[in-house]
Amino acid sequence: MKEHDIVFHKNDDKALISINIEDEDIDCALLDIFSIDDKEYIALVSLEDNDLYILEYDSEKDNEEEVILSFIEDEEEMDFVFDVFESHWSDEEIDEVMDSYFEELEEDE
């Protein structure tokens, strides 16, 4: 079995990111930016229903204000990335991060 270079927690900041799926904007909390080998991914959790989205993350940006997020097209790659992610992040850890987001959102109101 091939060894993979995996790095989690490549971000320390919190961010709210809106993604568009099937013409619907979904507000998400940034959970993690991580890499597997030379490819980067971003894990987002929907604020509305706690759905997890993992997208390809292109940090090679032309514009400092914008990054490129794209869906993982290859089903085998998608399954692998989700398996790696789930082996690192527990449901309890995700819940803790989301609780922290919700607390901050309540404070801002």
Side-chain angles (χ1 to χ4, degrees):
M1 177 176 241
K2 180 184 174 196
E3 291 269 335
H4 294 278
D5 182 23
I6 300 170
V7 179
F8 279 93
H9 304 292
K10 295 179 80 172
N11 65 299
D12 294 325
D13 299 325
K14 291 183 178 177
L16 297 178
I17 298 171
S18 183
I19 58 175
N20 188 287
I21 298 177
E22 297 178 358
D23 294 327
E24 180 183 350
D25 288 333
I26 300 172
D27 293 326
C28 298
L30 170 61
L31 185 59
D32 199 0
I33 296 172
F34 61 101
S35 61
I36 301 174
D37 300 326
D38 292 329
K39 206 166 192 179
E40 291 192 314
Y41 301 93
I42 186 169
L44 305 171
V45 177
S46 166
L47 295 176
E48 188 173 315
D49 54 20
N50 282 355
D51 284 345
L52 174 66
Y53 299 97
I54 298 179
L55 306 169
E56 290 181 24
Y57 175 86
D58 186 356
S59 60
E60 299 294 323
K61 48 194 173 210
D62 296 329
N63 178 341
E64 301 247 346
E65 300 294 316
E66 187 177 323
V67 294
I68 299 169
L69 303 179
S70 55
F71 291 100
I72 302 169
E73 299 292 331
D74 182 71
E75 193 170 326
E76 199 171 295
E77 176 187 3
M78 183 174 53
D79 290 343
F80 174 72
V81 170
F82 268 90
D83 287 346
V84 169
F85 180 84
E86 289 176 339
S87 72
H88 182 79
W89 279 90
S90 70
D91 289 341
E92 292 80 23
E93 290 172 312
I94 293 170
D95 289 344
E96 285 177 26
V97 171
M98 293 307 294
D99 288 345
S100 173
Y101 270 103
F102 287 123
E103 287 172 15
E104 285 187 23
L105 288 172
E106 287 176 7
E107 289 173 7
D108 289 344
E109 290 180 354

